[in-house]
């Protein structure tokens, strides 16, 4: 291995460590606790080293969001591939999405609530974000109906899931009604 390859590998490892530590700190204490000073202390590198990877907290949030998008796409695809039939796949998608949001609140915030400097629904949208949307579209396109554009239907279904995730987390919805909400959403929106 050349010196250049080793340096690139070490740089990539430092970047993964920064993102993992930011994510861990955010999940434990919230995003307000994530500062470059705290991160530098936790990973035992200087703040200038952090700034050589990320210009600031906004870019770190963006990196966590991209990682989270890839994980969410994987979770949704795993759940839907294990389900039998279109309706079961849509219900599995909804449960997987809501479960991801509940288990990873800081990552979910990085994806959908905080400014990570990422472009959404544009030509320059990063691939992990496009793939997360594609993971939803793959299943929801099966139940869109003849007179509705699959992408538009996916946006509306996603918005409903996001509302459920956000309102549940904020304590505005009773957690014991989560499953009836999923059933209602699938029954009323998905034409199977």
């Amino acid at each position: 291995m050349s010196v250049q390859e080793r340096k690139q590998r070490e740089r990539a490892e430092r970047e993964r460590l920064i993102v993992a530590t930011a994510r861990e700190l955010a999940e434990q204490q919230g995003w307000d606790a994530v500062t470059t000073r705290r991160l530098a202390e936790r990973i035992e590198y200087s703040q200038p080293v952090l700034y050589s990877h990320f210009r600031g907290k906004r870019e770190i949030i963006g990196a966590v969001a991209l990682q989270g998008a890839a994980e969410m796409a994987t979770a949704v695809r795993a759940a839907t591939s294990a389900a039998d039939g279109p309706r079961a796949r849509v219900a599995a998608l909804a449960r997987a999405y809501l479960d991801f949001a509940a288990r990873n609140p800081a990552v979910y915030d990085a994806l959908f609530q905080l400014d990570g400097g990422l472009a959404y629904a544009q030509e320059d949208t990063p691939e992990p974000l496009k793939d997360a949307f594609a993971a939803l579209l793959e299943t929801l396109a099966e139940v869109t109906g003849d007179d509705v554009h699959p992408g538009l239907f996916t946006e509306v279904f996603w918005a409903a899931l996001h509302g459920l995730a956000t309102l549940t987390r904020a304590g505005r919805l009773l957690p014991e009604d989560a499953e009836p909400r999923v059933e209602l959403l699938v029954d009323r929106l998905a034409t199977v």
Side-chain angles (χ1 to χ4, degrees), residues 13 18 21 26 42 54 56-57 68-69 110 152 169 171 176 183:
E13 185 55 40
I18 293 165
T21 304
R42 284 208 176 194
F54 301 99
K57 183 175 175 177
L152 183 62
R169 222 174 100 200
E176 60 267 19
E183 293 298 322

Side-chain angles (χ1 to χ4, degrees), residues 96-181:
Y97 182 97
L98 294 171
D99 183 57
F100 180 86
R103 284 185 300 106
N104 305 285
V107 173
Y108 193 81
D109 285 348
L111 268 164
F112 302 120
Q113 307 285 50
L114 302 174
D115 179 9
L118 303 173
Y120 286 78
Q122 298 175 22
E123 285 296 318
D124 60 341
T125 297
E127 245 351 276
L129 298 178
K130 288 179 181 179
D131 189 52
F133 186 80
L136 301 176
L137 179 64
E138 290 161 8
T139 294
L140 294 171
E142 294 182 73
V143 297
T144 298
D146 295 334
D147 57 341
V148 179
H149 186 277
L152 183 62
F153 179 77
T154 300
E155 290 173 348
V156 170
F157 199 91
W158 170 32
L161 289 174
H162 176 70
L164 290 174
T166 303
L167 291 169
T168 300
R169 222 174 100 200
R172 304 291 197 275
L173 300 175
L174 295 173
E176 60 267 19
D177 290 335
E179 187 57 29
R181 282 187 206 101

